[in-house]
Amino acid sequence: MRKIAIVTGTRAEYGLLSWLAKALDEAADVDLQLIVTGAHLTDRFGATWRQIAQDGFDIAAKVDMVDEDDSPAATGRALGRGVIGLSEAFERLEP
């Protein structure tokens, strides 16, 4: 069984990746690990992680990283949280 992780952070690229995620999820020899982050997890951008779950996908990890502030400093902090959160998710999931 191959463990394959897909990381998604926005509704726009989730739409492009959803067909691939569906194919991998249906493959008998693949354990799909969906990692949801970024705008998906914020109310400001619609909390679209709920749509991913409604689409029938199990969410293996959520990496919260977005600040409410869009300043350069907040963007830097978000990047740092993202690197740490993704590192921890990959370590735990071992894709």
Side-chain angles (χ1 to χ4, degrees):
M1 177 79 62
R2 293 178 296 160
K3 294 196 281 185
I4 298 176
I6 292 179
V7 178
T8 177
T10 69
R11 180 177 46 210
E13 47 82 2
Y14 170 71
L16 298 172
L17 290 172
S18 61
W19 68 269
L20 175 62
K22 183 173 174 53
L24 290 172
D25 199 35
E26 292 174 353
D29 62 338
V30 172
D31 176 16
L32 174 64
Q33 299 171 318
L34 205 55
I35 301 172
V36 177
T37 188
H40 286 305
L41 301 179
T42 66
D43 289 334
R44 182 172 66 165
F45 296 110
T48 53
W49 68 269
R50 291 184 185 108
Q51 182 60 52
I52 294 169
Q54 286 178 355
D55 288 347
F57 292 112
D58 291 327
I59 297 173
K62 291 180 182 176
V63 177
D64 188 17
M65 58 183 276
V66 175
D67 240 318
E68 290 303 314
D69 180 4
D70 286 335
S71 71
T75 301
R77 287 189 298 271
L79 178 60
R81 283 192 300 274
V83 169
I84 291 167
L86 287 170
S87 296
E88 292 171 348
F90 289 142
E91 181 177 43
R92 181 174 59 79
L93 297 173
E94 298 181 333

